Amino acid sequence: MRKLEERIMKDGLVLPGNILKVDRFINHMIDPVLFEDLANEFYEKFKDKKINKILTIEVSGIAIAYACGIRFNCPVVFAKKTSSKTLGDNCYRTEVFSFTKNRSYEVMVSKEYLDEKDHVLLIDDFLANGKALEGLIDICSQANATVEGIGILIEKVFQKGGENLRRQGYTIESLARIKGFTDDSVIFED
Amino acid sequence: MRKLEERIMKDGLVLPGNILKVDRFINHMIDPVLFEDLANEFYEKFKDKKINKILTIEVSGIAIAYACGIRFNCPVVFAKKTSSKTLGDNCYRTEVFSFTKNRSYEVMVSKEYLDEKDHVLLIDDFLANGKALEGLIDICSQANATVEGIGILIEKVFQKGGENLRRQGYTIESLARIKGFTDDSVIFED
């Protein structure tokens, strides 16, 4: 999507270690006008699917998932990384390995909010190794919910997460596809 | 706001220790239609203020803050609880004490995204002791930003956070004001 690529070129920052900093409009400050456009784009790509729930993972997936919830007119569930007094024990749980933090963390979704009647669109900000998405897919599988598709803002296609998931049959739409970095810039796939 | 009170009565759950569980529509699953109504209500209450930025705190403030960002047509910044490679050191920092978790945690906002030109609407889901809001106010103070108002979904008025902040001169609009709980129900202020 041209608009997101242009914004990444303008406001993104490439850090050592193939890290793309998009704090200025996605991960710390959010541009709601851009996010409405991004949600509209996901809607165009998935409007023929029977989607009744959006599922994402806290923290940085929440705002774009919510924007999609408005567009698809359905509830948004965000998987939690920390337990709480209100969450209780009645949860689907899975382990997600974070390469950025070099450790695993647990992800939880209450069984009250996901079940076999759900047709789910998974939404997240980044796709690189795909571990977070695999966690969400595992949770959908535990719930016998159907994954109708996966919407990603920025995919690092030189890492293998997207390729692996597509090979398993999942439909993934990434609005910006990065094939590599130079020292200070981003190379998008044609 | 009648609509939010009715939703709390219908879908909220009172847990021991004066805890109100609103996971079904705010804290774990989000109802986007309700959130648009809530953001419209905040807009009605604060539309005469000169607001150019929404500030909230991760995690559960993000979705309602984003909904307000759309309505007020301005960027949304969420304060972070964990450091990261992309956040860097150029941050305002403050300590927030959590009574729920009985410990302090650090909250950070990058200096890039808040400064003396900003007129800020603070948004959060709950107001009880007010410690999270005091942290956001401290960060605005460090940035020399102006706090134009505070929008809260659910205030526990029997705790003293709101009273203290109003006494300091802050304008707080809470869409549901709870004056107490019975064993299994909520008593709203008239």
Side-chain angles (χ1 to χ4, degrees), chain B residues 119-161:
Chain B
H119 292 255
V120 181
L121 176 62
L122 304 181
I123 292 286
D124 209 357
D125 55 345
F126 274 94
L127 168 55
N129 292 288
K131 295 301 175 193
L133 278 180
E134 285 175 13
L136 293 180
I137 289 169
D138 180 39
I139 281 174
C140 287
S141 165
Q142 292 179 46
N144 291 314
T146 306
V147 176
E148 292 287 348
I150 299 170
I152 297 294
L153 294 182
I154 301 171
E155 179 175 350
K156 294 174 176 173
V157 295
F158 58 91
Q159 292 181 273
K160 295 302 172 194

Side-chain angles (χ1 to χ4, degrees), chain B residues 46-104:
Chain B
F46 290 108
K47 66 184 173 190
D48 296 331
K49 302 272 188 177
K50 177 185 149 193
I51 286 163
N52 73 323
K53 202 160 274 177
I54 311 286
L55 178 63
T56 189
I57 191 166
E58 65 180 29
V59 178
S60 51
I62 294 177
I64 184 61
Y66 172 77
C68 290
I70 293 177
R71 200 62 190 77
F72 285 84
N73 194 27
C74 71
V76 176
V77 175
F78 55 95
K80 299 203 166 199
K81 293 181 184 170
T82 52
S83 204
S84 71
K85 287 178 189 170
T86 61
L87 188 57
D89 295 324
N90 190 32
C91 289
Y92 308 110
R93 293 167 185 273
T94 194
E95 288 279 323
V96 171
F97 184 78
S98 165
F99 284 92
T100 320
K101 295 178 178 163
N102 197 32
R103 61 173 176 81
S104 289

Side-chain angles (χ1 to χ4, degrees), chain A residues 55-58 77-84 87-96 105-111 113-114 135-136 139 142, chain B residues 27-28:
Chain A
L55 178 63
T56 189
I57 191 166
E58 65 179 29
V77 175
F78 55 95
K80 300 204 165 198
K81 292 180 184 170
T82 52
S83 204
S84 71
L87 188 58
D89 295 325
N90 190 32
C91 289
Y92 308 110
R93 293 168 186 272
T94 194
E95 288 280 323
V96 171
Y105 57 94
E106 194 174 43
V107 171
M108 291 154 275
V109 171
S110 168
K111 292 185 181 177
Y113 309 134
L114 195 67
L136 293 180
I139 281 175
Q142 292 179 45
Chain B
N27 286 145
H28 187 9

Side-chain angles (χ1 to χ4, degrees), chain A residues 24 27 30 76 80 112, chain B residues 24 27 30 76 78 80 112:
Chain A
R24 185 175 289 274
N27 286 146
I30 297 162
V76 176
K80 300 204 165 198
E112 286 187 69
Chain B
R24 184 174 289 274
N27 286 145
I30 297 162
V76 176
F78 55 95
K80 299 203 166 199
E112 287 187 68

